[in-house]
Amino acid sequence: MRIDLHTHSNRSDGTDTPTQLVEKAVEAGLDVVAITDHDSTAGWDEAQAAADRLGITLVRGIEFSTMLDGVSVHLLGYGFDPTDVPLLTELRRILDGRDNRLPALLDKLGDHGMPLTVADVVAQSGSAAASGRPHVADAMVAAGYVADRDEAFQDWLYDNGPAFVERYGAPLPDAIRLLREAGGVSVIAHPWARKARRVLPPDVLADLADQGLAGVEVDHNNHSPEVRAELRAVAADLGLVVTGSSDYHGTGKGPDFHLGVNTTAPEQFETLFAQVPG
Ligand code: AMP
Ligand code: ZN
Ligand code: FE
Ligand code: FE
């Protein structure tokens, strides 16, 4: 059983349609693939139709943009009711915040001699529920300002970089509660990558587990072997499920993030979904 629990389609900042994503998951030899677009379930129906046609198991999920102590934390959610009103209301606020930051972000790029309009970004993000920095990067590539998304992030769009603008993220404990109250489970994505590690030490993970957090994503490309070993031990200590994933974004994130590059053990998958009622 090969299980990949975190991937993106072009309903957020991946480059494949949900159908292509599922087709490629089959080609990659996966038995189970989760679609986890940023802050949106817009890809679910199309992905489910493709999965039914091709005979692969689709897990319908999301990567929820949250904040803890001023640091961005990504929370994977699975098995929740996508029509739950409190959850949808919070997701709407995040999606609106994604789009509302664009003018200020584009002003900063303009100040650095790279003028772009909101329409230029929408030309790149047209299939997505809302814009992301990767779509701004795509517009910069289209205008010839940078060679690829990586260069755009490394020189301009990185956190607190020259063209960075904050956006809204749900307080992490609220996001865990909203997913749980909508009948789902939550797993922190790449918890010890980048700055998140600072705000997610073991004692904080223990508090979050008490508040209903079900698991942590351990096997992710942004975790070194040492980090994975340490985090796996903490998870075992706290009784948290351990997952693995590719965080595939199509061509948006580079060949290292190919489908199935990291996977989730079947018994961890079982334990996680045993916590989903119904
Ligand atoms: P946003 O949520 O719109 O502020 O943008 C953050 C997203 O950009 C993350 O979820 C990543 O998927 C993506 N990202 C971060 N760094 C890079 C990079 N160097 N190349 C491509 N995508 C990136
Ligand atoms: Zn992304
Ligand atoms: Fe993420
Ligand atoms: Fe992701």
Side-chain angles (χ1 to χ4, degrees), residues 8-18 37-43 46 92 95 98-99 121-136 138 149:
H8 296 269
S9 78
N10 68 0
R11 296 303 189 269
S12 63
D13 54 6
T15 58
D16 291 330
T17 65
D37 278 312
H38 298 286
D39 310 311
S40 173
T41 62
E46 186 186 319
R92 187 72 254 163
L95 293 171
R98 289 181 156 284
D99 288 335
V121 178
V122 171
Q124 304 297 327
S125 68
S127 312
S131 61
R133 274 180 281 169
H135 301 118
V136 176
D138 292 344
R149 281 186 181 183

Side-chain angles (χ1 to χ4, degrees), residues 107-176:
D107 277 351
K108 291 191 173 188
L109 285 177
D111 291 344
H112 288 91
M114 293 175 283
L116 287 171
T117 64
V118 169
D120 293 330
V121 178
V122 171
Q124 304 297 327
S125 68
S127 312
S131 61
R133 274 180 281 169
H135 301 118
V136 176
D138 292 344
M140 294 169 73
V141 173
Y145 300 145
V146 293
D148 53 27
R149 281 186 181 183
D150 256 344
E151 186 184 336
F153 270 91
Q154 269 164 34
D155 292 354
W156 305 105
L157 300 175
Y158 60 91
D159 286 4
N160 305 312
F164 179 72
V165 175
E166 279 288 353
R167 63 166 168 73
Y168 177 71
L172 176 60
D174 291 2
I176 291 170

Side-chain angles (χ1 to χ4, degrees), residues 176-177 180 184-186 206-215 240 275:
I176 291 170
R177 180 179 48 77
R180 205 186 56 224
V185 290
S186 54
D207 284 347
L208 295 171
D210 288 343
Q211 294 170 48
L213 178 71
L240 288 166
Q275 299 179 39

Side-chain angles (χ1 to χ4, degrees), residues 6 8 38 63 74 189-190 194 220 247 249 253:
H6 176 180
H8 296 269
H38 298 286
E63 189 174 10
H74 287 177
H190 43 72
R194 295 186 281 262
H220 183 283
D247 203 358
H249 279 68
K253 218 168 173 166

